[in-house]
Amino acid sequence: MSATSPTNGSDVNAGQAPAFAEAMTARLRQAITDAGGWLPFDRYMSLALYEPGLGYYANSLRKFGTMPRQGSDFVTAPELSPLFGRALARQVAQALQVSGTDTVIEFGAGSGALAEQLIETLDALGTPVARYQIVDLSGTLRERQAERLRRFAPRVQWLDRWPEEIHGVLVANELLDAMPVQLLLWTGADWLARGVEMEATGSLRFSDRATAARPPTPPEADVGFVPGTVTEVHAQAEAFVRTLADHLKRGAAFFIDYGFPESEYYHPQRTGGTLMCHHLHQADPDPLDRPGQKDITTHVNFTGIALAGQEAGMTVLGYTSQANFLINCGLVDLLQEADLVQRTMAHRLIAEHEMGELFKVIGFVPGEEFDAIGFSVGDRSYTL
Ligand SMILES: C[S@@+](CC[C@H](N)C(=O)[O-])C[C@H]1O[C@@H](n2cnc3c(N)ncnc32)[C@H](O)[C@@H]1O
């Protein structure tokens, strides 16, 4: 197999994954050499996830699903249960009605599962969308989405860039956690930027350099960071939200992801940060091992996301746990109509020890707030 060979969007055999890792590592070595011997971690993560044909999200390996035996690496909420999208659709329908818009735009649509759930449910609720627009960095995932959503053509459209103006409702599930981050190391005296360099043998290793970057916290002494702490800062995710504010003229935006407020994120006991890799449903903390074959992800600092949106002119509509949000959107009624298997899967969306508490939902509006149903009980904006 050529690791760069294009596919028709179907998954390739997981047994072929090492070929991607090998080709990706060679590409990273070249990038390190071209950069003069050292790549900042955000650049490394960007290549390892999105380098065309090779990066984890850009290659044709299967990624999403519930079964490691079928080659999937992790499961997301819309893959776990269609009730996720059916509940979210109630919030989307309300936001469309309140704003008088008829377009949904999804960033990072993965396999297209959430798009399918939202379009079907919005049709059934009597609030059909005129356009369902998808923006995804990954060409192979776009092909997969197109196959899955063919029956909704021509309403489903793929965009290569931000539309000049958004009049509609933006949704993004597990998008922000997939954006490259900078890694910072606290020595006890200074912050250093963690990057990647190459040993004489060609192996990749971390190496740290002076930086002006800082975590968005009070002075280190006040936080009590322990020397040796490694943490992340999320310039790209926050820039994304500022860009959203420039484009969102009417409607709302909802981001669902794992993470917490700043005070929890940069808690002195969190000495290892939140960076994690996923392969065949196993988590490991080493992003330098088998790049291209594993997902690399970090938690979201929702305080940073909220501030970026607010500073750019949007209003935070609400912030709560995924469990609260889905229950507010009627998940309990949906569960009652579901069979036992569906109920068991959907329960994982709201169970505290699964996705219910770690995952959060944050909503933004460009103009006047409305009483969004998803945040009607248990809004935690005050914790941000
Ligand atoms: C963790 S996956 C989540 C997929 C899907 N939303 C789900 O829940 O199953 C992250 C997705 O975000 C996409 N992505 C990452 N950064 C992006 C960006 N700046 N613009 C659009 N898509 C992006 C990736 O290609 C991938 O499809």
Side-chain angles (χ1 to χ4, degrees), residues 58-297:
N59 67 39
S60 48
L61 292 170
R62 189 186 169 101
K63 297 152 211 328
F64 318 106
T66 51
M67 308 283 280
R69 266 179 298 143
Q70 291 173 357
S72 68
D73 297 318
F74 58 91
V75 66
T76 61
E79 300 291 333
L80 192 60
S81 166
L83 300 196
F84 175 76
R86 284 186 214 156
L88 176 61
R90 284 160 172 74
Q91 175 61 90
V92 172
Q94 183 202 24
L96 289 169
Q97 276 166 345
V98 169
S99 61
T101 55
D102 58 8
T103 300
V104 170
I105 176 164
E106 181 178 1
F107 272 76
S111 73
L114 179 60
E116 187 174 53
Q117 294 156 17
L118 286 176
I119 298 170
E120 275 176 354
T121 313
L122 289 167
D123 285 351
L125 290 172
T127 44
V129 282
R131 279 165 298 280
Y132 194 102
Q133 300 177 323
I134 294 178
V135 185
D136 204 307
L137 288 186
S138 160
T140 49
L141 287 177
R142 273 184 186 214
E143 289 173 15
R144 236 181 266 188
Q145 295 153 12
E147 254 172 54
R148 184 169 194 156
L149 302 171
R150 189 173 297 140
R151 71 197 156 101
F152 300 113
R155 283 194 288 168
V156 183
Q157 305 159 357
W158 282 264
L159 307 180
D160 290 325
R161 60 183 72 83
W162 286 90
E164 207 47 49
E165 294 196 345
I166 299 176
H167 297 260
V169 176
L170 182 144
V171 291
N173 185 60
E174 292 205 30
L175 168 79
L176 300 173
D177 74 73
M179 293 197 174
V181 293
Q182 294 159 275
L183 285 187
L184 296 180
L185 165 75
W186 174 240
T187 64
D190 283 312
W191 286 102
L192 299 179
R194 176 147 286 190
V196 183
E197 64 180 19
M198 208 165 42
E199 294 176 354
T201 58
S203 302
L204 306 180
R205 69 171 175 217
F206 284 129
S207 137
D208 306 319
R209 290 192 172 179
T211 180
R214 296 281 179 272
T217 48
E220 296 73 32
D222 293 351
V223 176
F225 282 118
V226 177
T229 291
V230 177
T231 190
E232 305 96 25
V233 288
H234 308 76
Q236 290 202 25
E238 288 162 21
F240 178 92
V241 173
R242 282 193 289 275
T243 306
L244 165 66
D246 287 343
H247 293 265
L248 185 63
K249 302 298 172 197
R250 209 151 46 100
F254 298 93
F255 294 94
I256 305 110
D257 225 311
Y258 37 89
F260 11 71
E262 192 171 291
S263 56
E264 265 181 79
Y265 203 108
Y266 298 105
H267 192 283
Q269 285 175 3
R270 197 180 300 286
T271 53
T274 70
L275 186 87
M276 203 44 75
C277 303
H278 296 277
H279 179 54
L280 300 179
H281 296 258
Q282 295 201 338
D284 80 81
D286 185 2
L288 306 189
D289 168 50
R290 291 169 291 149
Q293 195 176 337
K294 304 191 298 190
D295 185 26
I296 306 174
T297 175

